[in-house]
Every structure is written in C-alpha cells, then in structure tokens.
Amino acid sequence: MTIFRTFSWLLLAPFAAIAEAPWGKVDLKAAPELHQKGCVSCHVRMYGGDGSKMYSRDGRMLSNKLELLQRVSACNAQVGAGWFPEEEGSVAAWLNQRYYHFDN
C-alpha cells in the first residue's frame, strides 16, 4: 500500500504546481519598493497623478492572475528593471492584492 501511495504522489506532484497561483511563493513586503522603483515613473508619464490609474482605468485588458503576471514580466523587460521571476511574481501578487482582486 505504501508503494502505491508513493507512486501515486509522484504521478500527481507535477499537477500541484499548476494548482497554485501563477506567481508561486512571493514576498509582499518587498513588492511595494520594487513597484515604486520599476513601475511608477512610467505609469505617471502615461496617466499622470500617482500612476495608479493604470490599474483602475476603464477598459483595462487584464482579466486573471496569469495575464497580470505576464504583463508585469513584459513591463520588467520593457523598462529594464532587471527583476528575477520571483520579484515579478511578488509585484504581480501585490498588485492583485491591492488593485485587481482576481480569484482565477
């Protein structure tokens, strides 16, 4: 019976990663500073004010967590912030918590 459980776990383990949020383990405490340094100046140029209209404007194109993570990754590359994937994930998770509130 133990061998069967172990074998079953090995077969199902890859699917466990798919079930968690697309950004994996994050550091929500580091995210605001990363966001401030890497995102805000561009968003202010685009939308004025403090740049937060980027996240609340009518017609925003993001509809789920994966799209948010992809957008953060694209912005990271575009502005040359130099974030590692874990930092992208942290910022995406923080933005979701603060502005988007996606469940999916």
Side-chain angles (χ1 to χ4, degrees):
M1 187 64 109
T2 305
I3 292 173
F4 178 73
R5 271 193 242 151
T6 302
F7 184 71
S8 297
W9 173 248
L10 290 174
L11 289 175
L12 295 174
F15 297 104
I18 295 170
E20 64 181 41
W23 37 72
K25 187 175 181 180
V26 299
D27 182 355
L28 292 175
K29 291 182 181 181
E33 184 177 344
L34 290 167
H35 177 263
Q36 182 65 37
K37 288 180 179 178
C39 307
V40 172
S41 64
C42 183
H43 294 179
V44 168
R45 275 194 315 274
M46 293 172 69
Y47 293 96
D50 65 359
S52 64
K53 187 174 181 182
M54 168 69 81
Y55 310 115
S56 60
R57 70 190 188 280
D58 288 337
R60 69 179 190 206
M61 295 187 269
L62 303 177
S63 59
N64 61 53
K65 291 177 179 180
L66 182 56
E67 289 176 359
L68 175 55
L69 179 59
Q70 291 169 337
R71 180 70 253 164
V72 169
S73 181
C75 286
N76 175 32
Q78 186 174 7
V79 301
W83 295 341
F84 291 106
E86 298 82 17
E87 293 169 314
E88 291 176 355
S90 293
V91 171
W94 179 78
L95 288 171
N96 189 57
Q97 184 181 64
R98 183 163 182 167
Y99 295 104
Y100 292 101
H101 312 287
F102 294 135
D103 290 330
N104 56 346

